[in-house]
Amino acid sequence: MAGKKKEASLQTSVTNQEQWEEMLTTKGLTVVDVYQQWCGPCRAVVSLLRKIKNELSDDLLHFATAEADNIDALEKYRGKCEPTFLFFGGGELVAVLRGANAPMLQRMIVEELAKEKLVLVQGSGRKV
C-alpha cells in the first residue's frame, strides 16, 4: 500500500482541461506522461522518475500524468498507444519524447531542468 501512496505523490494526475491549465502554471519543469483511458499511463517509467526525483531532489522538477481524452490541448495525442512525454517550462511546451526510452528520458529531464533553471535564475529566453 505504501508504494501506491508514493506513486500518487510522485505524479500529479491531470484528467480535465481545468486541471491541465492549473498544471501549466506550475513553476519549474513539468514532465507530463500523456495517455488515453484505454491505454493508461506508462507504468514502466515510474521507478525511473522516482529515482531521478530522489537523485536531483529539486523542487523545480514536477511529474504529471494527463489523460488526452478529456483535455482539448492534447487532442493531437489521441489514438496512439506509444508513450509520449511532454516537457513544460513556464506553461510552454519545450520538448517532446515519444517512446519509453529510459536513458533518453533521463537525459532530457536533466537537460531541460538545467535550461529551465537558467530561464528562472538568469532570465534567459526559453526555447519553445
Side-chain angles (χ1 to χ4, degrees):
M1 201 68 173
K4 284 278 188 195
K5 192 171 189 176
K6 282 184 181 177
E7 187 174 313
S9 65
L10 179 69
Q11 295 176 299
T12 303
S13 179
V14 180
T15 57
N16 60 47
Q17 188 67 33
E18 183 180 319
Q19 290 173 340
W20 176 258
E21 290 168 12
E22 183 179 323
M23 185 268 313
L24 290 178
T25 65
T26 304
K27 183 179 178 182
L29 179 71
T30 302
V31 181
V32 183
D33 178 359
V34 178
Y35 71 96
Q36 294 174 90
Q37 189 174 24
W38 57 269
C39 191
C42 186
R43 296 273 177 224
V45 300
V46 172
S47 61
L48 173 67
L49 299 180
R50 184 174 292 115
K51 177 183 172 245
I52 293 168
K53 185 72 172 170
N54 288 338
E55 284 178 2
L56 297 178
S57 188
D58 197 314
D59 291 339
L60 293 175
L61 178 60
H62 311 280
F63 298 111
T65 58
E67 188 177 335
D69 302 316
N70 298 325
I71 301 169
D72 297 337
L74 300 177
E75 184 176 0
K76 66 181 173 183
Y77 300 103
R78 295 176 190 162
K80 298 177 177 85
C81 194
E82 180 181 43
T84 303
F85 299 90
L86 306 179
F87 295 73
F88 286 89
E92 300 287 336
L93 181 64
V94 294
V96 177
L97 175 65
R98 287 189 167 85
N101 181 335
M104 175 80 75
L105 179 60
Q106 185 169 4
R107 186 170 64 245
M108 286 182 71
I109 289 171
V110 171
E111 289 173 1
E112 294 301 326
L113 182 60
K115 290 177 189 175
E116 186 63 18
K117 284 181 179 180
L118 285 176
V119 169
L120 294 172
V121 174
Q122 298 177 355
S124 58
R126 182 177 280 117
K127 185 177 178 183
V128 179

